[in-house]
C-alpha cells in the first residue's frame, strides 16, 4: 500500500538553481561585493594586501582576524617553514602514484592520506585543528612540487627554511633559487587566491566540517571541488585555449566567436557573484603583460586582450581571476596542469579559516530537494517485472 503521508505531503518551495543568492552563513572572513567589483579580507582591500602584504601575513590575517604584529607574524612564518617536509608515508604515496596522474587528483589523494598519519589525526579539538591547518598550509606546496619532480624523473628538492612560502615553492619546483621578482609575483598570486567568500570549494569544506568530520576530510572535499573546470580548473583550461589558438594560428576573436556560436563557455570569464570586473583580474593583467613580455611571449598577452575585447563586445562578460593568471604562470615557466594546484596552495588558508569558523558556530548543513519523481507505486515482485 502507498504511504498516504508520502502522497499528500506538500511540495517544498522551488529550488534556487546552483543555490544562487542563497545565504548559508554569517561570515567576517571576506566580503565579495559583486556589484562594485570589490574584495576584502577581514576588512582590508585586496589591492592593498597585494601591494603591501605577503602570503604568510594574509594567512595570519585570515586565520586570526587581524593583521599580525611583528612577533606573531615571525612565529607563524617560522612555524610554516618548519612544517614543509612531508612524512615518509606521504613521500612513499607520491612515489607510488602514476606519473600521468592529474596533479589535482594527486593533491586530493595526498591530503586524504595525510589525515591518517598526522600526529593529531585523532584529535579534533580547536588547538589540534589549528596545528593540522598549519601543517596543511605548509605542506601543500611540497606535495605539488614533489609530485611534479617525481613525474619528470627528478628527485624532490628539500625545502629551504630561509625562503618565504612563495619563493620556496618555486625553489622546490625547479631546484634553483627563484628570481626575487618571480617570487614576488607568486607571492601576490597566492594572496589574491587565498580566500573568496562562500565559493564552491569553501562551501564543500564547510559541509564536511559541519558533520563534525575532521579538517583533512573537509580539505579533501574542497580540493575535489576546486578541481572542476567551472571553479579552479578554469585556469588550466584558459592556457589550453591560448595554446590552441597559437597552434591553429587563428584569430583569437574568430576562435571566441566560433566557440560562443557552438554555445560553449569561454574559460576564465563570468562569475556567479561579480557583475563587473573581478578586482583580482587587473592585478594579474599587469603581471601577464610584464611577464609575457619579459619571457619573449608577448603574443600570449596580446591574444588575451583580444579575447577580452571579444567577450566584452559579444557577451558583455568580464574576465575572472583565472583568465590572466594562466598566462602569468605560463610566463613563469610553470606547467599548465599545476595552475589549479597553485590555486589550492593559496586557497588552503581560506579553507582552513572557514573550517575553524564552521566548528566554532556549527549546525549540520542539510538542505532539501524538491522531489519531482513518482509517488505511490506498488512494489512489483521480481518475476513479474
Ligand atoms: N563563456 C560564455 N558564456 C558565459 C560564460 C562564459 N565563460 N559565463 C557565463 N556565460 C553565460 C552563460 O552561457 C549564460 O548565458 P545564457 O543565459 O544565455 O544561457 C549566462 O552567461 C549565465 O551563465 P551561468 O553559467 O548560468 O552562470 P553561473 O553563475 O551559473 O556560472 C560560472 C558562473 C563561473 C560557472 C560561469 O561564468 C562559467 O562557467 N565560466 C567559465 C568557467 C570559469 O572561468 N570558472 C572560474 C570561475 S572563478
Amino acid at each position: 500500500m502507498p504511504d498516504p503521508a508520502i502522497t499528500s505531503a506538500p511540495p517544498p518551495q522551488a529550488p534556487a538553481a546552483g543555490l544562487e543568492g542563497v545565504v548559508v552563513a554569517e561570515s567576517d572572513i571576506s566580503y565579495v561585493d559583486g556589484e562594485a567589483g570589490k574584495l576584502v579580507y577581514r576588512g582590508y582591500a585586496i589591492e592593498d594586501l597585494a601591494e603591501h602584504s605577503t602570503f604568510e601575513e594574509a594567512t595570519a590575517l585570515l586565520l586570526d582576524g587581524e593583521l599580525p604584529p611583528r612577533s606573531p607574524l615571525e612565529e607563524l612564518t617560522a612555524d610554516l617553514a618548519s612544517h614543509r617536509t612531508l612524512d615518509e608515508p606521504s613521500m612513499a604515496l607520491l612515489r607510488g602514484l602514476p606519473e600521468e596522474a592529474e596533479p589535482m587528483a594527486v593533491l586530493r589523494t595526498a591530503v586524504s592520506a595525510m589525515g591518517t598519519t598526522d600526529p593529531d589525526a585523532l584529535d579534533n579539538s580547536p588547538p589540534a585543528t589549528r596545528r593540522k591547518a598549519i601543517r596543511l598550509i605548509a605542506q601543500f606546496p611540497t606535495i605539488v612540487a614533489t609530485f611534479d619532480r617525481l613525474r619528470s624523473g627528478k628527485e624532490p628538492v628539500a625545502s629551504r627554511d630561509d625562503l618565504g612560502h612563495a619563493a620556496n615553492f618555486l625553489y622546490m619546483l625547479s631546484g634553483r633559487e627563484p628570481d626575487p621578482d618571480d617570487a614576488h609575483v607568486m607571492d601576490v598570486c597566492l594572496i589574491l587566491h587565498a580566500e573568496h567568500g562562500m565559493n564552491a570549494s569553501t562551501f564543500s569544506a564547510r559541509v564536511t566540517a559541519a558533520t563534525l568530520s575532521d579538517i583533512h576530510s573537509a580539505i579533501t572535499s574542497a580540493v575535489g571541488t576546486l578541481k572542476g573546470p567551472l571553479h579552479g580548473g578554469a585556469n588550466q583550461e584558459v592556457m589550453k585555449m591560448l595554446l590552441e589558438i597559437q597552434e591553429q594560428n587563428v584569430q583569437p576573436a574568430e576562435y571566441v566567436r566560433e566557440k560562443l556560436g557552438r554555445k560553449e563557455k569561454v574559460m576564465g570569464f563570468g562569475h556567479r557573484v561579480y557583475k563587473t570586473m573581478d578586482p583580482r583580474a587587473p592585478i594579474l593583467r599587469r603581471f601577464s603583460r610584464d611577464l609575457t613580455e619579459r619571457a619573449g611571449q608577448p603574443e600570449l598577452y596580446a591574444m588575451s586582450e583580444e579575447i577580452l575585447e571579444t567577450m566584452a563586445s559579444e557577451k558583455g562578460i568580464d574576465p575572472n581571476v583565472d583568465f590572466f593568471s594562466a598566462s602569468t604562470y605560463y610566463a613563469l615557466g610553470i606547467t599548465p596542469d599545476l595552475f589549479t594546484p597553485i590555486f589550492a596552495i593559496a586557497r588552503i588558508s581560506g579553507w582552513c579559516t572557514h573550517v575553524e569558523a564552521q566548528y566554532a558556530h556549527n549546525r549540520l548543513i542539510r538542505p532539501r530537494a524538491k522531489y519531482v519523481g513518482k509517488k505511490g507505486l506498488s512494489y512489483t515482485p521480481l518475476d513479474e517485472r
Side-chain angles (χ1 to χ4, degrees):
M1 281 291 290
D3 179 348
I6 290 179
T7 49
S8 62
Q13 63 187 17
L19 296 183
E20 180 160 6
V22 175
V23 173
V24 296
E26 285 191 344
S27 173
D28 59 1
I29 302 170
S30 67
Y31 177 51
V32 181
D33 183 339
E35 299 302 322
K38 299 274 179 218
L39 169 63
V40 299
Y41 295 174
R42 302 286 197 185
Y44 296 95
I46 195 65
E47 292 82 359
D48 269 358
L49 294 171
E51 193 175 338
H52 303 293
S53 194
T54 61
F55 176 72
E56 285 91 329
E57 188 179 67
T59 296
L61 172 68
L62 290 169
L63 285 173
D64 294 327
E66 287 170 8
L67 280 177
R70 188 176 298 279
S71 151
L73 175 58
E74 284 170 0
E75 261 170 53
L76 177 81
T77 304
D79 209 10
L80 286 171
S82 71
H83 284 105
R84 287 175 181 153
T85 307
L86 302 178
D87 62 14
E88 260 318 303
S90 306
M91 285 303 290
L93 174 88
L94 293 178
R95 288 187 192 278
L97 291 173
E99 282 167 15
E100 61 281 8
E102 287 179 286
M104 277 301 277
V106 169
L107 184 61
R108 186 196 60 221
T109 306
V111 175
S112 182
M114 282 157 59
T116 65
T117 57
D118 189 282
D120 287 307
L122 303 179
D123 185 352
N124 290 329
S125 64
T129 295
R130 175 57 68 92
R131 290 194 294 273
K132 290 189 269 192
I134 297 297
R135 285 192 281 272
L136 282 164
I137 298 167
Q139 290 171 10
F140 260 40
T142 316
I143 300 168
V144 174
T146 300
F147 178 70
D148 187 56
R149 291 193 64 91
L150 289 173
R151 70 174 174 174
S152 8
K154 297 181 196 142
E155 269 308 298
V157 173
S159 67
R160 280 214 356 223
D161 293 2
D162 58 322
L163 294 176
H165 198 74
N168 178 65
F169 170 57
L170 292 176
Y171 169 69
M172 282 192 298
L173 269 181
S174 70
R176 290 184 309 277
E177 188 167 332
D179 177 284
D181 289 344
D182 288 2
H184 172 70
V185 167
M186 180 52 66
D187 200 23
V188 175
C189 288
L190 295 183
I191 295 171
L192 296 180
H193 287 81
E195 161 61 13
H196 208 229
M198 197 56 72
N199 60 90
S201 54
T202 297
F203 183 53
S204 188
R206 290 188 73 135
V207 169
T208 304
T211 68
L212 296 185
S213 188
D214 62 291
I215 192 168
H216 282 82
S217 298
I219 301 303
T220 305
S221 301
V223 175
T225 306
L226 185 74
K227 180 174 180 289
L230 294 189
H231 191 5
N235 56 13
Q236 54 198 68
E237 294 299 320
V238 170
M239 201 61 230
K240 209 188 268 178
M241 168 172 75
L242 294 174
L243 295 176
E244 208 169 276
I245 292 173
Q246 213 171 31
E247 231 171 73
Q248 295 173 3
N249 201 16
V250 284
Q251 279 302 312
E254 194 185 317
Y255 179 96
V256 168
R257 281 193 203 103
E258 281 182 14
K259 215 170 172 53
L260 294 175
R262 293 193 299 272
K263 302 268 173 240
E264 286 173 19
K265 292 233 170 114
V266 177
M267 292 295 155
F269 286 85
H271 201 272
R272 176 62 65 75
V273 183
Y274 292 121
K275 301 302 166 215
T276 179
M277 177 90 83
D278 181 328
R280 299 163 298 179
I283 301 170
L284 292 160
R285 189 181 195 171
R286 287 192 291 277
F287 284 158
S288 168
R289 183 195 60 200
D290 297 349
L291 269 71
T292 54
E293 176 78 41
R294 195 194 65 183
Q297 298 166 317
E299 66 282 0
L300 289 174
Y301 177 71
M303 278 157 55
S304 303
E305 286 292 334
E306 190 174 328
I307 294 171
L308 183 145
E309 275 166 33
T310 315
M311 283 300 283
S313 59
E314 296 286 322
K315 297 285 288 187
I317 300 182
D318 290 306
N320 56 48
V321 71
D322 295 308
F323 188 61
F324 285 109
S325 61
S327 41
T328 299
Y329 297 149
Y330 194 76
L332 282 176
I334 295 170
T335 320
D337 67 359
L338 297 186
F339 294 2
T340 313
I342 292 173
F343 195 150
I345 286 172
R347 188 56 58 83
I348 178 70
S349 293
W351 289 335
C352 289
T353 307
H354 278 269
V355 168
E356 289 188 355
Q358 187 63 43
Y359 290 149
H361 302 281
N362 191 55
R363 189 159 187 231
L364 179 75
I365 298 174
R366 202 298 187 192
R368 293 192 56 186
K370 180 182 177 186
Y371 180 67
V372 295
K374 295 172 182 169
K375 292 175 184 167
L377 300 181
S378 298
Y379 182 80
T380 317
L382 185 58
D383 291 344
E384 292 171 28
R385 286 175 221 159

